[in-house]
Structure formats: C-alpha cells, structure tokens
Amino acid sequence: MSAFHTHSIPLDMEDIVRDLDKPVTEAGIAAKASLIVRVGALDLSSGTGSFRVREMMHRIAYPLGVHVRADVNLTDIEATCTDGKERITEVIDLPSTGVNTERIWLLEHFADWFSVSCGLSSVYHHEAEISEALVDKLGSPSSALSALRALGRVKQVIARKKEEDGDFKGLTVRKAHARLDIIEKRKPLYPAWFAAFGSAVACAAFVFLLGGGPFDMAGAFVGAGIGHFVRRLMLAKHLNQFFVTFVSVAVAALACVGMLRFIGIFNPIALEHDTAYIGAMLFVIPGFPLVTGGLDIAKIDFPSGLQRLMYALSIILMATFAGWAVARAVSLNPQGFEPLGLDPMLNGVLRFFAAFAGVWGFSVLFNSPQRMAFTAALIGAITDTMRLEIQDLLNVPPEAAAFFGAFAAGLLATAWRSAVRRGWLPPHLGYPRICLTVPSIVIMVPGLYMYRAMFYLGQFSTLNALDWAFRAFMVIICLPVGLAMARVITDKSWRYDV
C-alpha cells in the first residue's frame, strides 16, 4: 500500500499536465490551485503558524486572480480556490511537523519572485531584484546566497537573465513548480555533528542563564550534544516524534550524568551538581509551536492555535517524563543551581554573551543560515539580558519580565526589517520576523519550571507540582502575548480585525 499512499487528495491531474507549459496567469484553476496550496504546505511544514500560511497563499493567489479560502491546522490544509468562473478544493496533510527557518525565508523570496514575474510589485523587499536573483540561482551549483552579497551584482544577474529568457512575465506553471521542487528538496544546511554542537552550545548557555556554573555547563554541553545527535539520526529514519523525544532526552540525561561522574573522579565537587542534567534536556523545547500557537490564538484561529499548544505540551510531557525516569533510575535529586556569587556587572556581561551563544545554537537547530542566526542571536542577547537584569535589579516577576523580553524582541525584529527595507542595512540581511523572534525568545522558555513540575508529580507531591506547573504556564503565556503586542503596535494587519 505504501506505493499508493499520498498525503493529499489530488486535483484533476489532466488539467494540471495540460497547463504545465502555459503562463501561470493563463493556466486553469487546477494548475493555479496546485501552486497556491503547495506553497502553503511547504510553509506549514517549516513550522510557521496558520496566519502566515494563509498570508503566503494569498500572496501567490493574488497575481493569479484567484480567491482562496483555507482552513489551516497543525499538519493539514483544506483550501478552496476560485477565479470567479470555476471552483476547486484541495486537501493536503503532512506526515509530521518540524522547523526549517531557511525554507520560511526562501518561500518569502519565492513569493516576491512570483509576484514580480506576474507583472506586480514586490512585497518582501523594496528591491525586487533581490528575490529574483536568489530564486533564479537556487538551481545553480553555486551557493544561492552568493547572489545577495551586493546589489550591483544582483542587478547584473537579473539583466543577464532577461536577455536570455526575454521577460519574466512568461513564467510557466512548470517553472514555478521546478523552483518549489528545489526549495522542498534542499538538504539541511548543517550536518548532524554541527547541529549537535549547536545544541550543546545552546544548552550550556541556557544552564548559565539559569544560574549554573562550569560543572553544570560541561555536563549540559556533553549531554545535549549527544542527545541531539541521536535525535537527528532517529528523525532521519522518520521514526515517531514522541518516541524520538523520549529516547533522545533519556540519552542526553544519562550522558550528562556520566560526564559529571567522570569529572568527579578528579574533582568530587562535580558529583553534587545533580541539576545539570535538566539543562541537557532543553534542546527539545518546542519553541516554535509554543509561540506560533499563541500567535494563532491572538489572530482568533483557535483550532490551529490549540493544536499547536497541545502538540508542544505532548513533546514537553514526553521530555520531562524521560528526564524523571532517568532521575529515578540513577537516584538524582535536583535542588536547583548553587549561587555563583559573581559581581553584578560581570554577571550582566556574561549573561549577554551566554544569551548570544544560546540563541545562535537554537537558530542552528532551526536550520537558520549563519547571517540569520547571528542576527537572531544579537536580538536575543539584548532582550534576554534585559529580562534577567530587570528581574534581579527591579524585582520584576519572571512572568512580567518574560513579557517585556518578548515584546522587546518583537520590536527589535520589526526595526531590523524596517532598516533593511529603507536601505539602512544591506538587502541580504532582510529576514522574516518569525525567524528572528522565535529563536531569540526560545531561551526564555522556563524549561526548569516544567521539569520540576513533572519531577514533583512523579513523587506525588501534588502541591509542589501544581506550583511549578502554573509558574511555567504563566511565563509561557506571556511570551507569545509579548510578541503579539509588538505586532499590534507595528503592523496594521494585526492592529485591526478586518
């Protein structure tokens, strides 16, 4: 049966095949819908929220003269498309969900390229040539990103393409699908070992921000690196995500404990750092579905928002259950991190660099190109350091501090995009807001709170479990609320219900 399995209810394939070599604006409704829904499915598979998926589908539909009404959930889309004469419905579902910020970024450029090719203006960049050059170089042996290094070089590329192909208005259905084929089939930017290194750096930095010291960071570094390496290999085999989460977290916790036991041979103090293994588990934090679920709810899309939040909760439960099982098996009793006693000024500086490294590591896990990863890391370093400092210096509650941190991240990401569009920053540094904001606030997710809730629940200490669970819940709620408030202030499409 596997040979006949499909994740979509196919459209009229004869109509699509007949129109493959027609200009997209002259093709039939079936061919047009195949492009619209495919772009939506690729965006959905990258981990973005339903509001962005709909926006992307509308950007493809508009130059085609098509109206689209789509129901978007965690792993499926049901879209009805009409051109005023004919109507067609396509249903597609994904086998699983994940995160790929490079694909989100490339699809933004594809939408601009598509719009300009149909004779309209660009939306994503004020210089249409940026997206045109990037998408046209995707199929070349050289790096697609090299086309964005200098605007003058980009214009040369476009001029040469127009001489060769005549005019972009002759974009055919086949060529549009060919570009989507390239985007869909792109391999991850980083091999498993480098992604594991990013995971190790992120979790070690996370532990420091939680108050851990060198021994805790060393244990988390080794545990998270090995755990994510195992996770990456298992996901490549298309194994069940919840099973993979349980196994990889258990491996990470055991590797962390083993590392601390090894260090303890030379320095017995390391044996007292039981809490470090919690930091080694944090690479599985489902930051994207947590944040996009909250943003979907802010856009009054409750089905998608609740599905994403339930998915994130399921991943968290599997991870914390695996950590609790390891703790019971090896008799761990985490009591929190010991105070480091650092000078406040020095502590603030170290927090800045730790937050930068942590956000960079999470961006690598999300498959962000290096420029995007460093941009998100800069935003995260500023906002997370601010969050922690106002907690310490002004006695602001963690929930309120998380709100202000996420709100600042949203404003900074919007300011970055505006600076690129106005020409104050190079055009190749323009990235989707979600690719900058989510990695920058993932490091604010209260992983320690969530694990402690499960730990006390496993000990049947109900009151303590509820206490930590509600603390985690309040912080988690404040993160997407902060981002949503920033979007309401800076984006008219979020400011009004229309």
Side-chain angles (χ1 to χ4, degrees), residues 211-213 336-342:
F337 298 106
E338 293 293 330
L340 297 178
L342 296 175

Side-chain angles (χ1 to χ4, degrees), residues 443-454:
I443 207 164
M444 303 180 191
V445 174
L448 182 60
Y449 291 5
M450 294 184 290
Y451 175 76
R452 280 192 164 183
M454 175 59 75

Side-chain angles (χ1 to χ4, degrees), residues 18-28 170-174:
R18 185 186 63 218
D19 292 342
L20 278 177
D21 294 312
K22 284 186 178 180
V24 290
T25 54
E26 300 174 12
L171 174 65
T172 63
V173 176
R174 186 188 301 275

Side-chain angles (χ1 to χ4, degrees), residues 242 286 290 308-320:
F242 301 114
L290 277 175
R308 290 177 183 280
L309 293 178
M310 183 55 66
Y311 168 75
L313 177 62
S314 300
I315 293 292
I316 291 168
L317 287 175
M318 291 302 296
T320 53

